Amino acid sequence: MVATDATRRGAPDALLYPEIEPYASGRIALDAVHTMHWECCGNPRGVPVVFLHGGPGGGSLPHHRRFYDPAFWNIVVYDQRGAGRSTPCASVHANTTQNLVADLERLREALRIDRWLAFGGSWGSTLALAYAQAHPERMLGLVLRGIFLASRAEIDWFMHGMRTIFPEAWRAFAEFLPPEERGDLLASYYRRLTDPDPAIHLPAAHSWDRYEGACSTLLPQPDAAAKFDADAAGLAIARIEAHYFVHEAWLRDGELIAGVPRIRHLPCTIVQGRYDIVCPPVTAERLARAWPEAEYVVVPDAGHSVREPGITRELLAAVRRMQARV
């Protein structure tokens, strides 16, 4: 394990590579319902890297293009089914981990990429591990952040345990529901989030997203909750996250740890905020102990968000180190 120095100085966006526009983009029909949006930036002849967004349901944003040297990398960014610019937005129809793995492989084939580096945080780390274990021959390596393995304990922590650190945020989250619905927060939220009536599902989505946003940074961010208030984006995050939580991400408990031997030969860096409350360090340590060859970096003054200055700094450094290894 590598424990880095305190790194809260500097605005995270100022640390990133300059803004960049895609040189190509498109859509792939995944089935009769879902269409997936993708884009490529940087060097068309460069080494491929694919960004896996969080949530699930979070979608990609322009700043996600900026963690990689555009002269070296061929940067692939896409929106998982139901998220971002993929359609239909917030759909949970046929939305499973196994289908997301298959979607990613379809994207690789469509772009005629032989092997690529996977870069993913939070749920993106889950999907990166699931995809790599299904297709290790297609991987150059992994850069992972804020590890989430989709265990029942992690889901229970999100729904109840975070109140230990953020009691006010959890109380608002729980008390959004009427008293008779608070016995099973996940089931009650899922029922509301999947209700077809916007008057029911949108307030539930805003409550869910504000809870998660309030717990995502080491220090309070005044706009952390407000950024989730856009109806479509907020609904996609809340509805799809609850959908995956209810189904335990269609993964057996411990499945991703059991699959590590299939990918231990690949270079990997794990970046973890010491005070990540959404995805606590105990999970990242579990992965690091199962994968001793992986580089494990703990940022001492960071929470969960990729926009924490220390997290941003260490991810950039990890990608730079990967340039010599892929």
Side-chain angles (χ1 to χ4, degrees):
M1 182 187 79
V2 178
T4 66
D5 294 332
T7 50
R8 290 207 66 82
R9 62 188 183 280
D13 280 4
L15 304 172
L16 300 174
Y17 288 95
E19 293 184 5
I20 187 172
E21 293 298 321
Y23 68 79
S25 63
R27 307 181 73 80
I28 297 174
L30 301 173
D31 55 27
V33 173
H34 289 280
T35 301
M36 182 171 67
H37 173 88
W38 62 269
E39 61 185 38
C40 293
C41 307
N43 182 356
R45 298 178 182 273
V47 176
V49 55
V50 61
F51 171 78
L52 307 179
H53 66 70
S60 62
L61 296 169
H63 81 271
H64 294 145
R65 308 166 183 161
R66 300 173 55 197
F67 286 87
Y68 331 91
D69 180 351
F72 182 89
W73 297 99
N74 182 16
I75 305 157
V76 180
V77 176
Y78 79 107
D79 294 319
Q80 297 156 31
R81 59 174 64 196
R85 290 158 290 181
S86 293
T87 58
C89 183
S91 173
V92 296
H93 171 80
N95 203 330
T96 68
T97 300
Q98 291 72 28
N99 281 344
L100 295 188
V101 168
D103 296 346
L104 185 52
E105 181 62 0
R106 184 178 296 190
L107 176 61
R108 184 196 64 77
E109 292 174 346
L111 297 178
R112 299 182 180 180
I113 290 171
D114 181 41
R115 296 192 298 159
W116 51 9
L117 177 77
F119 178 109
S122 195
W123 165 256
S125 74
T126 323
L127 183 55
L129 289 166
Y131 175 82
Q133 291 174 17
H135 301 281
E137 73 285 357
R138 298 305 180 187
M139 301 301 300
L140 295 172
L142 301 94
V143 175
L144 307 175
R145 169 193 63 84
I147 304 302
F148 179 66
L149 300 176
S151 68
R152 170 48 57 186
E154 291 168 274
I155 294 167
D156 286 345
W157 170 261
F158 182 95
M159 298 304 302
H160 302 281
M162 293 198 302
R163 70 185 296 185
T164 305
I165 312 299
F166 290 99
E168 303 89 350
W170 184 86
R171 187 179 307 111
F173 176 63
E175 292 181 355
F176 166 82
L177 298 169
E180 63 272 17
E181 294 185 37
R182 296 175 194 165
D184 188 335
L185 295 182
L186 180 55
S188 296
Y189 265 98
Y190 189 50
R191 184 168 53 251
R192 286 172 173 265
L193 289 166
T194 54
D195 191 290
D197 185 354
I200 296 175
H201 65 237
L202 286 179
H206 292 158
S207 177
W208 179 289
D209 295 333
R210 288 176 184 234
Y211 170 57
E212 183 171 1
C215 301
S216 291
T217 57
L218 176 60
L219 300 179
Q221 300 294 322
D223 61 346
K227 69 179 181 179
F228 292 112
D229 281 348
D231 287 347
L235 178 62
I237 294 170
R239 178 183 285 170
I240 298 175
E241 280 187 358
H243 177 65
Y244 275 72
F245 285 4
V246 164
H247 295 95
E248 297 182 27
W250 294 269
L251 295 168
R252 298 183 306 277
D253 203 28
E255 180 175 342
L256 296 179
I257 293 293
V260 166
R262 293 198 288 275
I263 56 175
R264 275 181 64 176
H265 63 286
L266 296 168
C268 175
T269 298
I270 301 163
V271 176
Q272 178 70 38
R274 171 63 69 195
Y275 299 102
D276 185 338
I277 304 304
V278 176
C279 296
V282 65
T283 306
E285 187 196 37
R286 184 183 178 199
L287 178 61
R289 289 175 65 85
W291 196 345
E293 299 84 1
E295 181 182 41
Y296 180 32
V297 180
V298 176
V299 183
D301 56 349
H304 181 68
S305 173
V306 72
R307 291 182 177 272
E308 295 274 43
I311 297 291
T312 297
R313 202 179 297 272
E314 290 302 328
L315 287 173
L316 288 163
V319 174
R320 284 194 293 270
R321 289 192 296 274
M322 280 290 177
Q323 291 184 199
R325 304 180 69 184
V326 298

